[in-house]
Amino acid sequence: MSTATIAPRLAGFQRWRRTKDRSARYMIGFFGIAVVGALTLMFVYLLSETLPMFQGAKLDPLTEYDAPGGADTRTVHLAVNRHREMAVRITDDRRAVFFRPNTGEIVREQTLPIPDDVRVTSFTAAEPRTRLVALGLDNGQVLAIEYEYNERFTPEGREYDPHVIYPLGDEDSALLDIDGDGPAISVVGIQRGSSGIRVAATTEDGRIRLVQFEETTSMMTGETQVRRSAYDMPALPEGSTATRILLDITGRIMLVGDDQGRLHSYDIRRPASATLEDSKRVIRGDEAEVTSLEYLLGTVSIVVGGSDGSVTQYMLVRDADNVNRITRVREFPAHAGPVTNTQPEYIRKGFLTADETGQIKIHYPTSQRTLVERQITDQALHRVYVDPRNRLLIAIDEAENWHLQRLENRHPEVSFHVLWQKVWYEGRSGGDYVWQSSSATDEFEPKFSLIPLTIGTIKAAFYAMLFATPLAIMGAIYSAYFMSARMRTLTKPSIELMEALPTVILGFLAGLWLAPFIEANLPAVASILILLPLSMLLMAFVWTRVLPEQVRAFIPAGWEAAILIPVILLVGWFAVTLSPLIEIWMFGGDARQWLTDNGITYDQRNALVIGIAMGFAVIPTIYSISEDAVFNVPKHLTQGSLALGATPWQTVVRVVLLTASPGIFSAVMIGFGRAVGETMIVLMATGNSPVVNFNIFEGMRTLSANIAVEMPEAAVGGSHFRILFLAALVLFALTFFVNTVAEIVRQRLRNKYASL
């Protein structure tokens, strides 16, 4: 063929090749950018769902009007229904005024059943959810009432028929006899619990009485009877006068504040033998007094407001002698003037405080946040209220002018402190990292620490990699360098086929078979870890030093690993068989109890089970990539090393591993990423205990498993929902960081050993 004929063909071929090269380059570049863009969009989406949690609360003025029912009487209690369409105002002139909160329009007024010649001397309210209030009278009686909105739905919308009811029967039984015709009730406290209604009161002569009203209903007649029990409580220390009484919903604790700035705790579980357990000054300033004292939702935490403007949270914490001690938990930013009122939220642990300068603040204890500081008026505020859904705030000044504010406070329980630092939760003796997002009780305090989940993720990945990495890398080195080609064609596809096994199957087997097996055969597991390596070394010694050459000739070169199969099976059978004997000999017959007696917690579904199960899921990934990296080491390097007199193992250690190290490192990091993101195995085989430790015999809860478990039950847009997105963002950032570091290290290894 002439040159004139070849040249055009060659030029056309070169143009076509350049076209394909350019097309491939552009396509690879496009899809590379698309991958980066997809990752960026994922990050932006997760971030967009997370950021609203960290926005502060908002408070905007709505309207102002004079107190419904007249500003010439003082408001002692106010409550608003959850739809913000009906409210009740209880006044000190014996009235309950029902009105529409948006306009102040009165719907109904009801006179309370208090004799005309009797004066109201004190007032209290039980936990807001109970709608129970009490008024102390100067004849030694207490009026207990409840208010109802009686909401019903009609074609025209919601309609209400509000009125006052009496918790212990009819109107005649509303006046509760506390001290007969004794002195006036100076301070009163009331609470409804499982055992009935309890009323505690202090009379003008300084005595403290506790009266319990228990309701019993006859199964035969349906008639309800009320049994009254009255008890005298131990007196306060000399010189103290009670100013506030609080009762908890369990009927176990009574708290009394006095005019000396002290708080006294009574154990009233057995009222007939009640004791004064602890007394403590709860205001630091010597001249300061307690001006406000309230329970938060659930009646566990107490908020103390002082005349010095201080706002402090206290709890009863058991000491070494099993005595409940009044303990300061946390403080909040102080007011400019004396705190006049504290109002707890209805469905959360938050609360509001008002002061004499007309300022209000909205706080949330768990997150240690003061979300709003707002000057409402120049006059002193004596009451501040919030509706059950935390959408409407009503502040009342001394002139009974009502200031309505629109409130937006969606995620007060979230802060950096809650997510990543120790928090002192109710019912605990100190700060801790806790994840517990839900409970069966309405007064539950959500616990959203991401530390247990992050530690659990790292713990699960660590033990999985500890199990998988040595086996996978050593298996890859052997099969790529020492194994015969025929055996390699059987072994490598078989191991890679393991990766197709669904992880839910591995989790199922790990949780229902492996975990009970390990628990029943703990000595066998420990024995295998020791005996298996020793037996392999012993077999290698026998093969190379004891057996004659004629015997070794029966096994073709590169098939030596096959003789370890019966050795492994025999050692496993031997360890399991001897396990009961070892357990009796070394652990007193019960290895698990022996661990417990020595301070080591053992859970059936633990990190050891996860390490083995997840290790099997990770091994194929690490093995396949490492094996390819080792196998693709240029032959002239290994042949040159052998030609210079190096042994095969010296060649592997000093030439092959160094050259293949970038690929092996990439395999380990990819395996680690797979372990970090694994969901089904850890979900089914860990017990999902959010603990903070690296004990191999305890379980854990990982970020991915937690998202899978709790996302279906999380309310869309709520704090729990967004924190799960934050957990996904943390998982995303963790894997991105690890992969970035891995790529940097891989490139440096590649550059370092590229000259080999």
Side-chain angles (χ1 to χ4, degrees):
M1 188 177 293
S2 65
T3 305
T5 305
I6 295 176
R9 286 181 147 187
L10 182 59
F13 174 76
Q14 290 174 342
R15 284 195 301 272
W16 175 239
R17 186 173 64 180
R18 286 195 296 269
T19 301
K20 290 192 292 184
D21 289 344
R22 284 195 298 269
S23 300
R25 183 168 66 251
Y26 292 146
M27 289 183 64
I28 293 172
F30 171 77
F31 286 109
I33 294 173
V35 169
V36 174
L39 292 175
T40 303
L41 288 176
M42 291 172 57
F43 179 82
V44 170
Y45 175 67
L46 294 175
L47 195 63
S48 67
E49 291 289 346
T50 301
L51 285 179
M53 290 191 301
F54 301 100
Q55 296 176 355
K58 296 179 181 179
L59 198 61
D60 299 315
L62 281 177
T63 186
E64 296 182 13
Y65 51 74
D66 292 335
D72 55 336
T73 60
R74 191 174 181 85
T75 303
V76 295
H77 185 68
L78 171 66
V80 183
N81 81 330
R82 63 194 181 106
H83 298 297
R84 302 176 298 284
E85 295 178 350
M86 186 60 60
V88 59
R89 176 199 182 206
I90 298 176
T91 66
D92 61 359
D93 64 348
R94 308 178 178 89
R95 287 185 301 154
V97 181
F98 294 92
F99 64 97
R100 299 193 181 278
N102 291 330
T103 62
E105 175 192 354
I106 296 176
V107 176
R108 170 177 291 176
E109 286 192 30
Q110 190 170 349
T111 302
L112 302 180
I114 300 175
D116 293 338
D117 59 343
V118 175
R119 182 172 52 89
V120 176
T121 55
S122 58
F123 173 83
T124 191
E127 192 186 57
R129 293 176 299 173
T130 66
R131 301 179 182 177
L132 177 64
V133 298
L135 291 87
L137 310 177
D138 64 357
N139 64 352
Q141 291 182 317
V142 169
L143 174 67
I145 62 172
E146 293 181 22
Y147 48 88
E148 286 189 349
Y149 303 112
N150 290 325
E151 176 185 343
R152 65 180 183 274
F153 294 91
T154 66
E156 290 75 24
R158 296 188 187 92
E159 292 186 358
Y160 298 89
D161 181 25
H163 58 268
V164 169
I165 62 173
Y166 307 100
L168 296 177
D170 55 14
E171 183 175 325
D172 296 333
S173 62
L175 290 172
L176 309 179
D177 187 12
I178 302 300
D179 200 24
D181 295 327
I185 303 296
S186 58
V187 183
V188 63
I190 192 170
Q191 195 64 260
R192 183 194 296 276
S194 58
S195 60
I197 292 177
R198 288 191 174 193
V199 179
T202 301
T203 59
E204 282 189 344
D205 56 3
R207 292 180 296 114
I208 304 176
R209 287 178 62 80
L210 176 67
V211 184
Q212 181 170 318
F213 300 89
E214 293 181 301
E215 293 179 290
T216 56
T217 302
S218 172
M219 296 181 61
M220 302 294 294
T221 64
E223 182 182 357
T224 300
Q225 294 182 340
V226 179
R227 184 168 65 91
R228 176 184 180 276
S229 305
Y231 309 92
D232 288 318
M233 297 289 102
L236 293 176
E238 187 176 353
S240 299
T241 301
T243 58
R244 186 78 168 95
I245 295 179
L246 299 176
L247 297 168
D248 75 334
I249 58 177
T250 66
R252 300 176 179 179
I253 303 296
M254 180 176 73
L255 297 174
V256 180
D258 67 15
D259 59 352
Q260 306 297 318
R262 290 178 297 181
L263 186 62
H264 309 274
S265 171
Y266 287 80
D267 182 351
I268 58 171
R269 284 175 292 184
R270 288 182 285 273
S273 57
T275 58
L276 177 59
E277 277 197 325
D278 193 24
S279 297
K280 184 173 183 177
R281 182 169 180 82
V282 292
I283 300 294
R284 288 182 173 176
D286 293 336
E287 302 298 327
E289 298 178 359
V290 175
T291 55
S292 177
L293 186 67
E294 290 291 343
Y295 266 128
L296 296 184
L297 177 69
T299 66
V300 176
S301 294
I302 310 104
V303 175
V304 178
S307 60
D308 58 352
S310 61
V311 180
T312 314
Q313 180 187 2
Y314 284 85
M315 288 192 303
L316 297 182
V317 179
R318 292 191 180 275
D319 62 8
D321 298 324
N322 201 32
V323 176
N324 282 320
R325 299 296 182 187
I326 300 169
T327 305
R328 183 188 298 263
V329 177
R330 55 181 65 93
E331 295 184 10
F332 300 90
H335 283 262
V339 177
T340 55
N341 184 231
T342 300
Q343 175 66 27
E345 294 184 2
Y346 282 65
I347 57 174
R348 296 188 305 212
K349 296 291 182 178
F351 64 97
L352 299 80
T353 52
D355 66 16
E356 285 189 359
T357 68
Q359 185 187 52
I360 67 167
K361 295 187 179 184
I362 302 177
H363 314 269
Y364 201 87
T366 307
S367 59
Q368 296 188 194
R369 297 175 67 187
T370 296
L371 299 118
V372 171
E373 297 185 19
R374 181 66 55 85
Q375 191 73 32
I376 300 297
T377 178
D378 294 333
Q379 300 186 47
L381 297 174
H382 76 91
R383 286 289 184 271
V384 59
Y385 297 94
V386 67
D387 76 287
R389 291 185 175 180
N390 302 294
R391 304 287 179 82
L392 177 66
L393 182 147
I394 302 177
I396 306 174
D397 62 28
E398 290 292 337
E400 286 294 327
N401 294 319
W402 289 31
H403 307 266
L404 276 67
Q405 306 272 324
R406 180 187 293 109
L407 175 62
E408 184 177 347
N409 186 18
R410 297 184 179 181
H411 309 289
E413 59 269 69
V414 181
S415 67
F416 180 86
H417 178 81
V418 165
L419 297 172
W420 299 109
Q421 297 180 13
K422 288 185 176 181
V423 178
W424 195 339
Y425 296 103
E426 291 181 349
R428 296 177 177 266
S429 58
D432 203 356
Y433 303 111
V434 183
W435 175 274
Q436 187 181 359
S437 58
S438 60
S439 176
T441 60
D442 293 335
E443 62 269 13
F444 169 71
E445 182 179 25
K447 304 168 182 64
F448 290 130
S449 176
L450 292 180
I451 292 294
L453 308 182
T454 306
I455 295 296
T457 302
I458 296 173
K459 177 180 176 180
F462 171 77
Y463 284 114
M465 297 301 292
L466 190 65
F467 176 82
T469 303
L471 293 178
I473 293 178
M474 291 181 183
I477 294 172
Y478 184 84
S479 62
Y481 191 73
F482 296 100
M483 190 176 287
S484 68
R486 175 61 179 161
M487 190 176 185
R488 180 174 178 270
T489 59
L490 297 175
T491 304
K492 191 172 188 293
S494 300
I495 296 177
E496 290 177 343
L497 192 63
M498 289 171 53
E499 196 162 12
L501 185 66
T503 55
V504 67
I505 301 299
L506 291 175
F508 178 81
L509 293 175
L512 297 184
W513 173 77
L514 182 61
F517 176 82
I518 291 178
E519 182 183 24
N521 297 276
L522 276 174
V525 175
S527 301
I528 288 174
L529 293 176
I530 298 172
L531 295 178
L532 203 57
L534 293 178
S535 63
M536 290 181 178
L537 292 174
L538 179 61
M539 189 62 197
F541 176 80
V542 171
W543 178 260
T544 58
R545 296 289 187 268
V546 177
L547 293 179
E549 183 67 29
Q550 295 81 356
V551 176
R552 295 201 301 270
F554 284 103
I555 304 295
W559 286 81
E560 294 85 356
I563 65 173
L564 290 177
I565 295 176
V567 173
I568 294 172
L569 296 176
L570 182 63
V571 170
W573 172 83
F574 180 75
V576 173
T577 303
L578 288 184
S579 180
L581 300 177
I582 297 175
E583 196 164 19
I584 295 173
W585 174 44
M586 299 185 65
F587 303 106
D590 192 336
R592 178 172 180 174
Q593 186 61 45
W594 183 87
L595 290 172
T596 302
D597 293 341
N598 285 273
I600 302 174
T601 303
Y602 185 92
D603 298 330
Q604 185 188 77
R605 300 186 179 189
N606 51 45
L608 178 60
V609 176
I610 286 300
I612 296 174
M614 198 187 298
F616 274 106
V618 173
I619 281 176
T621 301
I622 302 177
Y623 168 84
S624 181
I625 300 174
S626 298
E627 206 272 350
D628 289 339
V630 174
F631 188 78
N632 290 326
V633 172
K635 298 300 181 183
H636 68 270
L637 295 178
T638 58
Q639 292 171 356
S641 175
L642 295 172
L644 292 173
T647 65
W649 272 109
Q650 288 175 329
T651 301
V652 167
V653 172
R654 299 182 181 181
V655 177
V656 175
L657 286 182
L658 295 179
T659 307
S661 59
I664 295 174
F665 187 78
S666 296
V668 172
M669 289 299 101
I670 292 173
F672 181 78
R674 166 80 186 275
V676 166
E678 178 55 47
T679 301
M680 292 309 301
I681 295 177
V682 293
L683 185 62
M684 302 178 70
T686 63
N688 283 311
S689 303
V691 296
V692 184
N693 61 49
F694 274 85
N695 181 4
I696 195 171
F697 297 119
E698 281 192 77
M700 77 289 289
R701 177 177 287 199
T702 66
L703 290 164
S704 58
N706 188 70
I707 294 169
V709 169
E710 299 193 4
M711 185 60 79
E713 67 184 27
V716 176
S719 297
H720 183 202
F721 178 83
R722 296 192 185 280
I723 288 175
L724 293 177
F725 271 90
L726 178 61
L729 184 62
V730 171
L731 186 61
F732 181 90
L734 178 63
T735 54
F736 183 80
F737 173 78
V738 170
N739 289 335
T740 301
V741 173
E743 181 62 20
I744 293 173
V745 174
R746 189 186 73 84
Q747 288 292 344
R748 292 187 177 182
L749 289 174
R750 188 175 183 180
N751 295 334
K752 182 176 181 180
Y753 299 113
S755 59
L756 290 178

